Amino acid sequence: MVSGDREISDQEWERFLRDAGAGTPGAPEEPSARARMVGRRLREQPGPPDGWRTHRPAPRRRGGTARYVVGMVVAAVLLVAALASGQVTGWFGSDGGESAPLAQESERPTRPPALEAEQLPTLDRPFKGSPAARWGDGVAGIHMPSARATGWMSKDQVARALTRSRDFLAASSLDPGVLRGRRPAKAIALINPRQQDVQDYLATAFRAPSRKNDPLLLFSRFPKAEVRPAGDVVKTRGRITFREGKRGAVEVVSDVTYVYPVVRAVRGSDEVARTIVRREVVMSWDDPARVITEPGTLSLVSYKADFTNGGCDNVTGYFTPTFSSERSASGSGSGPEVDPYDRSTSMDDRMRQGSGVGCGTATRS
């Protein structure tokens, strides 16, 4: 990590930590613990073929009391990008390419995607009948803005922060091992280890997942004993933006929808189900002259998630999709209809509309 236009040496970094621990005037400040987690699960339940039942619990928030650890000397380590662009398109399958791909989403769309002809997905075409058939593969579906000098960072530094932020999304939501249920070690390594409330959440979420500490808010994981991938590509659509935050930090905002097609893990299974996840993650790249942070890492400001066909009241720490053959004609959900491909409204608006309504109905998969 660099400060202004020059590199920060290990000696300077250690001095920052010593001064902070001693309360020296002008030393870097402890950043407040400001992570916020808001989760909404949308899950397929037994029901008629015109939609999936979905669950939308009231928003949950976290943070505000824990403090960062200070005064401990840590060797400065520059964390290299966890995954290169060409490495994160693997795990889920391509649609076949008969439809022209959409241009990247540079701004919020004004309307939902057009309705597709009703078609069932197949192993050869796992995105058939879905708007995602025209979306990008892996990080190719995530629009990146042009860098400019912002806050404490130069143009080149902002460009690196944007790339590393995308690397975090790839390591948390596209990494093949993580999707198969492994711990997201590469993504966690990119998170500021001094952000104690987030570190506590991460430790608890994988040891004892719960509604309060749910790893699915940040990471996409499937139980490999129950489902397996339907190909090699995750379809994505979304964008990254940035702005100046507190204390001159550069805040990077991501809003991305991921589409994961899977089949049962049983040999010979060919019925494809899709889990659709929309996440908004705000990442802060803090000025080490003002905030105690680990060079090369980001602090999490907030993270929110919508899940479709991932598990209603699911506290297993894994997405648990339901297949159409498991549904019964038990009626629609009690909540409003939801289009999981609709990106024309903000996640905050959708959460306000859906708070506390129970299980709704997804209009399409």
Side-chain angles (χ1 to χ4, degrees), residues 10 15 38 76 93 97 108 142 152 159 177 204 210 232 236-237 252 260 270 281 292 307 309 316 318 355 357:
D10 291 348
R15 177 173 59 79
V38 184
R108 188 181 306 284
I142 304 174
W152 73 282
T204 304
S210 64
D232 295 321
T236 63
R237 188 154 183 82
V252 178
Y260 306 97
D270 60 2
V281 183
I292 300 298
F307 311 151
N309 195 28
T316 65
Y318 301 93
S355 295
V357 299

Side-chain angles (χ1 to χ4, degrees), residues 121-123 228 263-264 266 268-272:
T122 65
L123 284 175
R228 60 181 175 84
V263 296
R264 295 183 184 87
V266 179
S269 296
D270 60 2
E271 182 186 355
V272 177

